[in-house]
Structures are given as C-alpha cells and as structure tokens.
Amino acid sequence: MRVRQYINLYLSIIMILNSSSLSLLLNNSSASSSSSSCRLREQFSLNGMYQKGDVILGGLFEVHYFTVFPELSFTSEPQQFYCEGFDSFGFQQAQTMAFAVDEINRNPDLLPNIKLGYQLYDNCLKLGVSFRAAMSLASGREEEFLLDETCSGSPPVLGIVGDPGSTHSIAISSVLGLFRVPMVSHYATCSCLSNRGKYPSFFRTIPSDSFQVRAMIQILHRLGWTWVGLVFSDDDYGFHAARSFHSSLAESGGCVAYSQVLPKDNRPTELQRIVGEIKSSTARVVVVFSNEAYLLPLVDEVVVQNVKGLQWIASEAWTSSTVFHTPRLMPYLGGTLGIAIRRGEIPGLRDYLLNVRPDDQPANNPGKNMVKQFWEAVFGCRLEPPAGWVEAGGDVCTGQEDLSDVETDYGDVSELRPEYNVYKAVYALAHALHDLLQCVPGRGPFSGHRCASLQRLEPWQLVHYLERVNFTTDFGDRVSFDDNGDALAIYDIMNWAWLQDGSVQVENVGVIDESAPAGQELTLDVDRIFWNFESKKPPRSVCSESCPPGTRVARKKGEPVCCFDCISCAEGEVSNTTDSAECLRCPEDFWSSPERDLCIPKGVEFLSYQESLGISLMTASLLGALICAVVLGIFTRYRNTPVVKANNSELSFLLLLSLKLCFLCSLLFIGRPRLWTCQLRHAAFGISFVLCVSCILVKTMVVLAVFRTSKPGGNASLKWFGAGQQRGTVLVLTLFQAAICTAWLVSASPTPHKNTRYHIDKIVYECVVGSVAGFGALLGYIGILAFLSFLLAFLARNLPDNFNEAKFITFSMLIFCAVWISFVPAYISSPGKYADAVEIFAILASSFGLLVALFGPKCYIILLRPERNTKKALMGRATTKT
C-alpha cells in the first residue's frame, strides 16, 4: 500500500510537470522571453468549495472516505479519479472554515476593507489526491496567467488550512516549505512535523503527538499502570507516536508488553495473530494510536475472539469517533479512556450550518460542488438526476429541504474539537495578515525596515507574522505558536460510559494543560470514570507487583525492567525509595526494623545500674565498703588492745582505708561510660590497689624485721623500719603508680567507645584503654608488688605464733594473685559489659579476700575471744612454742 502511495505521488508530480502551472509556483523565476503567459493544459478533478475575495485562503479536508482510481493502461490518457463515502464530519470542518471566513469579513476590527475568500478541496483520504489539491492551491486554477517582468501580485492562496492527515502534511509541507507557503493544520499531530529544518512553514492548532504521548504517560502513571500493550497504525502518525511512546514510557518506569502494527490491508490472519497476542498477554491496558478506519477491523476480531476485561486507551484520532458506540462493541470498548482535542464553542456556527444551501456556491466554482454532494448524501436524492434516475424510483432534490428536519451529526455542535481547531487556524492566518498590514513604513521587520504589501506579498513574509501571532478566542483560549510551530497543548480526557439503557455517553473526566505549573498539568476525576469491570474499579496492569517494604527489585534476565522478583534486604539494610534495585545500609547508630522498611536506633548496651547484674555488683561493692567501715570502727574502738597495736596499727588503718577505696572504685565501672569515668576508673583502681598492696608489703617486711630483732645482733634491723620509713615506703610506692597513671592519661587516655562488632543490632558502650602499654604497666606494677608481698609472706610463714600474721598475708596474697591471674583471660574473652563485670568481680573478689584473710581473725579475737586479746596471752603462746 505504501508503494502505491508513492506511485500516486509520482503520477501527481508528472501531471504537474506536464502543465505549465509549475511556473506559477515559482513566483520569483523570471519570465521566458519567448512567452508572456502560462496556460493550464488540464484541470484536476477535485471536490471543492469556493468563495471569491481580495485574499484567498486554501483548505484541505477529508470529506470522502474512499478514492476510486482508473485503470492505468499507459496507452491512453487516464480518466479522472472520483471519491465515494461522504463524511459529514469532514464537511462540517470545511463549513466551519467557511463560517470563520464569513465571521472575519463581518468583523470591522479585523482586516478592515479586506474581504477574505476561500478555496477548499476534499483530499478523499488519499495522499495523491491531497497532494494534487495542495499543488492546485499553491499554483492557482486560472486557465491563463499573464507574466510581466516583475511577477507582481499576491500568491493564489495566502495560506492553507490543513491537511488533517500527518502523512499528507509531511508530503505537502516538504514541497510547499521550499517556497515558505504557510500551512496551518488542524489535525496533523505527528511529532516529526515539529522539525523546523524540514518543515519551516508548517504550523498547527492541535498539539503534537509528543504532547499527547506525555499526556498518556501521566494518565498511566496516575492510575498505576506500568505494563501496557501498544497498537498503532501503519503510517507516519502511528510510527512516530509509537516511537515516542516507547521512549517516554521507559523513562517513566513503565514497559510495553507488546507492540503491534495494524495491517493496512486488514488481513484476517494478521488480525487474528494480533488479537491472540493481546488475549494472551498479562497487560490489561491497551494503548492505541490509530484512526477508526484502521482500528475497526481489529475491534471486530476482538469481538469474534471474545476478548473482554481490557482497558483501552484511545489517542485523539479515535477518541471522539462514534462508529464504535454500538451495542455490539461496547461490551468490549466500554470504559475507554481517551485523549481528546480541546473542546470549544463557536457561537452562531449551528445556524450557519443549517442554513447552507446547494445553490450558495458560485457557478464558476472550480471543481465539483461539495455542498451539492452533501445535500444529496443527507436527503438521499439527486439535484441533477441522471437519465433513468426518476424512472428507477429515485428522488429529486429541490434544494429547499430543511436540514433541521434531519437528524445528522452535521448539525451537532456540542463537541466541537477538530472544528474548533479549524476555527483557530483561520483566525491565526487572519491575525497574521492583519498584523502584516498594520506595519508602519520604515519600521518593518524586513531588511531595510521594510514592510510587506498586499500587492507584492511573499509567502515567507506572512510566515514571519504567523510565528508571532498571539490572540485569545471568544471561548477564552489563547492561540500562539512555539518555535516549532506547535500550539499550546491542552487536552480533554474522555471516558466512554456505557449506560444501563445501552446508550453511550462520552464524559469529560479530566484535563491536561501543559501550560500549568509543574506537577499540576493533569487534573483527573477518577471517581467519575466508568470502569467496564465487575469490580467497577480500575484494573491492575503490572508485570510484577511493587516490591513490599523491606525488599529490593531483582531484574529477570531477558525480560523488561517491569518484570522482576522481590528479594528481602539484608540485616542492617532497608528498602530504597529512590532506587528500588538497591537496599540502603542504615547509618552506624541505626539498625533495620524487623520488616526492613525503616532504620531504627540500635539498642544500647552497657553495665547499667538498672539491670540485675549491675545492681548485684553495686550491692557487693557497697557491702564491702560498709564492712571496711565497720572493721575500721572496731579497730578504732579497740585501738589500744594488743591485737590492734601489733605490727603497726597505723598500717592497718591505712590498709582498711585502701580496701574501702578498692570497693568504691568498682562503682566507676557501672553506668554509661563517659570520658571522665573512663579516665578515672582505671586510675582509681590502680592507685587504690597499689596503696593496699604497698601496705601489705610493708607489713610483711616489718614482720620479718621484728623477727630478726628477736635474735642476737638483730636490733639494728628494726631501725630501718620505723613508722616514718613505713609511711614513706607506702607513699613512694603509691606515687610511682600515680606517675604511671598520669603518663598513661596524658599520652593515650582511655575514652568511651561505641562498639558494634559484638552485636550488629546493638551498640555496646565501653571504655577503650587507649594505650595497652599503659594499662599493662598499671597491672604489671600491681602484680610485682603482690608477688613480692606473697614471696616475703611465704618466707615468714613459719615464724612464731605471736607473729603469725605472715600466714594470713600469705593466704590473702595467694587469693589476690589467683584472682588477677584468672582475670586476664576472662577479661579478654568477655565482650562488652561483661568485660566490665569481670573486672569488677576481680576487684571485689580480691578485696574481699584481703579483707577477710587479714582482718577476719583479728576481729574474731577482738569480738569473740577477748581473753586472747592480751599481751600476756600473746607472749604466753610464744613462750610455750619456744
């Protein structure tokens, strides 16, 4: 079929080249010296309407459905083609142009003193016919045209309204654009026509398909339809719309389940295959870019295969078509949503349409009178009956029949959509011509500030003004063109409501206005939409349901991006609202909820005063400190008794004080770690224990010194262990530990730390030691003093009974060393708060061991065996032993 179109186009060009009318198309060519006129050799047989005027506007409309071409024998001149199948809608559009011209002529403010005329042709829905008509408009229909040296005068037509077909407009504008003849189409929507380089003089009052596609994408997005089928016609309109739809839908996150081209020859096998694809697909939404002529055979096949449960999305080419509004088709097409051209109102148009008469056209109308053809089609009669017509029972028209007595779509002006675009196109050309004529000499837009004149008007000069036209219709719509010649994009969203009585009502359920603020272009009343489903709700049309919170999209290899699996996010990750293919890792202090849909703060773990373990350790610490205080009170009360005074009571009091500090320093390990607690806990622990062990070490040394004085020549040993030396030794040993702690805190101080290595869903607050060497020096120093105390006490274990404190010191230091030796591996292997608990336990165990071993026996004697708390008793036992 496409080859046939190009053949028809080729034949048209050949016929034009054979006539001298081509010279009229080339207005700027110089006349031949041997000829002073151009003469048409033959006229095309075209259906048309004509009105004389000072300036003529051309028009191309689809008034007939079919074109019958003669057989080509190539041995004789072919007969003229003729058209069949009268279209009242196309004729209504042609009459709308005539009405607009008449209205402008009656308007004293627009083109005063200028009478517009028109020359309208029928393209018969064929490219070849349309091209012939356009060339006839551009070159003129005069039998003879006189030439002069200047080729002055205005062109045969100032501009052309039409063609309604995209393919026709592409072919015509490709030629007329070379001469900058302006075309203003009212129905050609192909986005390719926005190419200003190829079509420099093409304008349109209907939005481009690129706008229509964006409008459809917005509707699909609003209703949540991401998985759709695509069907389009086998022409420029269909192919360009489909290409734009594919790319735009992909950008919005949607996918095309299938893409099918409607056959031009309506082959049954191809239609069956397409409907089979539609039927087997999981897509419940079908988008169709086509006119009703291509689509109707497919819908018939849909009925044959009984394919229901689909949501059809109609392009503007068939949204307003009533050919589908039948009881046979509506069970399948009911609820269709469509993009429709902006509806307008034209006051006075209906009266004008109904007052048309077949004798209104002048006798010199070039071409066949379309009004007469319309009259005969409406009333089923003949104005000029051929021979035998009356005898065969045919009616004869009088020309006075009343159109208001006949129910036709021709007089219906309730849904003026393409007609309104025709109206705006005529006014756009009129306003451009008006602005051209208002030019002030010396201030014009052309070279040398010249103005154009009607007597020597060039088509490109009118194009200049047409690009800048800007006016508002009586209906309130602004008319202007962008840099590509496209009009402002405004669409109505229509819905085919199938009523209970079987009738069809086309409802306006929304508007898409590209000039609205971003995000507000679409207005859709979903509650008013008729859904042709049992649920009376919009269908679901997705390849894969959206992944629930807590999961991510996993693409299926070899399938569209809309088809995917949902995989749960890993622990610590949540679903990503901006990129569904990836999960987001929660921040460090947060963790994923059980549903993996949001990040929640991690649980916090540290040895708290509120938990049972912390309470137990705190109680034991306070109990130890209390016992120390009680023992200190007992020793104070009985400070003058031999048991207390034996072996330097001052060291005993200092030892009790250090033990109390040991018990209390363990409280620093409980509670949320702070900088000051981390720094103080180990320093207090180290100094307290060194003070304690230093006292024990000095006491042990004193025991040995006293034993040596009991032997001959041993009095000299005691002078080195007087009270001052004992205090000094304890002080020096303690100050050395204080120096170690100070160096540690200054160089690498312990700090609080949030540890997430132990538990992925918890934050363990702990104190890091900062310097392992510092911490090791602190513990090592305590260990050295404890080992020396144990060694000396062990050597003095067999001393006489009155000096048997060495045995208790040995036992206490054995407990102390055992506790701290076992502490190291337990501390290293204990995570988080349990490491603090282990250290507290070691402090308390060693402290209790020292307290019980050193002061338990003495308190027993003081409180329970006072008879032994005498010097005689102590000395007597010593005598007995010796």
Side-chain angles (χ1 to χ4, degrees), residues 111 158 430-440 445-446 451-454 457-466:
L111 293 176
L158 204 60
H431 277 275
L433 180 60
H434 181 84
D435 295 339
L436 182 147
L437 297 178
Q438 296 300 311
C439 179
V440 177
F446 308 116
C451 294
S453 66
L454 193 60
L457 181 62
E458 298 288 346
W460 60 267
Q461 293 174 324
L462 185 63
V463 170
H464 171 83
Y465 284 95
L466 197 57

Side-chain angles (χ1 to χ4, degrees), residues 590-756:
F590 290 81
W591 190 246
S592 57
S593 63
E595 296 78 16
R596 308 283 199 273
D597 58 343
L598 74 160
C599 293
I600 58 177
K602 287 183 177 180
V604 176
E605 181 181 282
F606 57 87
L607 190 58
S608 171
Y609 286 106
Q610 283 74 37
E611 61 178 306
S612 58
L613 181 59
I615 294 173
S616 301
L617 294 174
M618 179 186 65
T619 303
S621 176
L622 294 177
L623 179 61
L626 180 61
I627 294 174
C628 287
V630 171
V631 173
L632 184 61
I634 294 173
F635 270 51
T636 302
R637 172 71 176 78
Y638 298 96
R639 61 184 177 277
N640 294 320
T641 62
V643 171
V644 176
K645 293 173 66 177
N647 200 3
N648 196 339
S649 61
E650 184 178 341
L651 285 179
S652 297
F653 285 111
L654 188 58
L655 180 57
L656 282 171
L657 179 62
S658 65
L659 284 173
K660 187 175 183 180
L661 291 176
C662 289
F663 281 115
L664 293 177
C665 78
S666 63
L667 297 177
L668 294 172
F669 291 84
I670 306 174
R672 183 166 183 168
R674 310 284 182 184
L675 179 61
W676 69 271
T677 59
C678 290
Q679 293 174 339
L680 187 58
R681 61 168 60 170
H682 289 105
F685 153 70
I687 294 173
S688 299
F689 267 89
V690 164
L691 179 61
C692 177
V693 176
S694 298
C695 291
I696 295 174
L697 179 61
V698 171
K699 285 174 72 69
T700 306
M701 295 173 67
V702 169
V703 169
L704 290 174
V706 171
F707 175 71
R708 289 178 64 103
T709 60
S710 63
K711 295 183 178 181
N715 290 331
S717 302
L718 197 59
K719 68 179 181 179
W720 297 104
F721 291 96
Q725 286 84 353
Q726 295 175 24
R727 288 193 294 269
T729 302
V730 171
L731 179 61
V732 170
L733 294 175
T734 305
L735 288 177
F736 189 79
Q737 179 74 312
I740 293 176
C741 292
T742 302
W744 179 20
L745 294 178
V746 171
S747 62
S749 171
T751 55
H753 172 65
K754 294 186 293 185
N755 194 327
T756 57

Side-chain angles (χ1 to χ4, degrees), residues 47-49 358-359 361-362 365 367-374:
N47 304 319
M49 291 170 50
D359 54 359
Q361 290 292 298
N365 175 25
K368 301 175 183 177
N369 191 334
M370 283 195 300
V371 181
K372 291 182 178 179
Q373 294 171 339
F374 162 72

Side-chain angles (χ1 to χ4, degrees), residues 200-221:
S201 61
F202 180 82
F203 300 84
R204 50 185 159 191
T205 53
I206 185 172
S208 164
D209 279 338
S210 60
F211 297 114
Q212 180 182 194
V213 167
R214 288 206 297 268
M216 284 190 173
I217 297 299
Q218 290 186 57
I219 295 174
L220 295 175
H221 181 72

Side-chain angles (χ1 to χ4, degrees), residues 274-576:
I274 295 175
V275 174
E277 177 77 10
I278 296 173
K279 187 176 183 179
S280 62
S281 174
T282 57
R284 296 294 87 197
V285 176
V286 183
V287 177
V288 181
F289 290 97
S290 175
N291 56 36
E292 63 270 21
Y294 284 123
L295 182 59
L296 191 56
L298 178 74
V299 176
D300 288 334
E301 184 61 30
V302 168
V303 175
V304 171
Q305 296 193 29
N306 194 29
V307 182
K308 294 183 179 180
L310 296 178
Q311 176 64 51
W312 296 83
I313 305 295
S315 65
E316 42 75 29
W318 64 283
T319 295
S320 302
S321 176
T322 59
V323 70
F324 301 102
H325 299 173
T326 64
R328 176 174 172 268
L329 300 181
M330 285 312 293
Y332 304 88
L333 298 181
T336 294
L337 284 173
I339 302 294
I341 307 167
R342 174 73 166 171
R343 189 189 70 85
E345 293 182 4
I346 306 176
L349 176 62
R350 187 173 189 276
D351 293 337
Y352 182 88
L353 295 176
L354 296 180
N355 288 327
V356 169
R357 291 292 180 271
D359 54 359
D360 291 342
Q361 290 292 298
N364 62 345
N365 175 25
K368 301 175 183 177
N369 191 334
M370 283 195 300
V371 181
K372 291 182 178 179
Q373 294 171 339
F374 162 72
W375 203 265
E376 292 176 348
V378 170
F379 293 103
C381 58
R382 290 294 184 90
L383 289 165
E384 298 174 357
W389 173 262
V390 177
E391 290 77 4
D395 295 331
V396 178
C397 302
T398 64
Q400 301 301 316
E401 290 83 1
D402 192 351
L403 287 172
S404 59
D405 295 337
V406 183
E407 288 190 13
T408 62
D409 295 328
Y410 168 75
D412 184 7
V413 295
S414 61
E415 292 289 327
L416 297 178
R417 299 183 186 276
E419 297 79 10
Y420 187 50
N421 285 343
V422 171
Y423 184 79
K424 291 188 292 185
V426 175
Y427 266 86
L429 288 168
H431 277 275
L433 180 60
H434 181 84
D435 295 339
L436 182 147
L437 297 178
Q438 296 300 311
C439 179
V440 177
R443 298 182 182 178
F446 308 116
S447 60
H449 301 288
R450 292 184 299 107
C451 294
S453 66
L454 193 60
Q455 291 73 28
R456 300 182 59 84
L457 181 62
E458 298 288 346
W460 60 267
Q461 293 174 324
L462 185 63
V463 170
H464 171 83
Y465 284 95
L466 197 57
E467 291 173 341
R468 292 157 180 78
V469 75
N470 193 338
F471 65 95
T472 303
T473 68
D474 294 338
F475 190 58
D477 289 334
R478 187 166 68 92
V479 178
S480 64
F481 303 102
D482 62 15
D483 295 338
N484 297 321
D486 294 324
L488 294 173
I490 303 178
Y491 290 104
D492 290 334
I493 303 175
M494 311 306 294
N495 176 231
W496 292 4
W498 187 25
L499 304 182
Q500 293 181 351
D501 60 2
S503 61
V504 179
Q505 184 173 344
V506 180
E507 295 281 353
N508 189 329
V509 295
V511 175
I512 294 180
D513 187 356
E514 288 284 341
S515 64
Q520 302 179 21
E521 298 91 347
L522 173 62
T523 302
L524 183 63
D525 190 350
V526 179
D527 294 335
R528 292 183 55 200
I529 298 176
F530 169 79
W531 303 107
N532 193 26
F533 305 94
E534 292 182 1
S535 63
K536 301 303 178 183
K537 294 180 180 180
R540 291 286 296 165
S541 188
V542 294
C543 182
S544 298
E545 292 291 343
S546 300
C547 287
T551 61
R552 67 175 180 86
V553 169
R555 307 294 183 194
K556 292 182 179 180
K557 187 176 181 179
E559 296 190 20
V561 295
C562 297
C563 302
F564 49 81
D565 294 322
C566 297
I567 299 177
S568 296
C569 293
E571 290 186 344
E573 296 181 341
V574 294
S575 50
N576 192 344

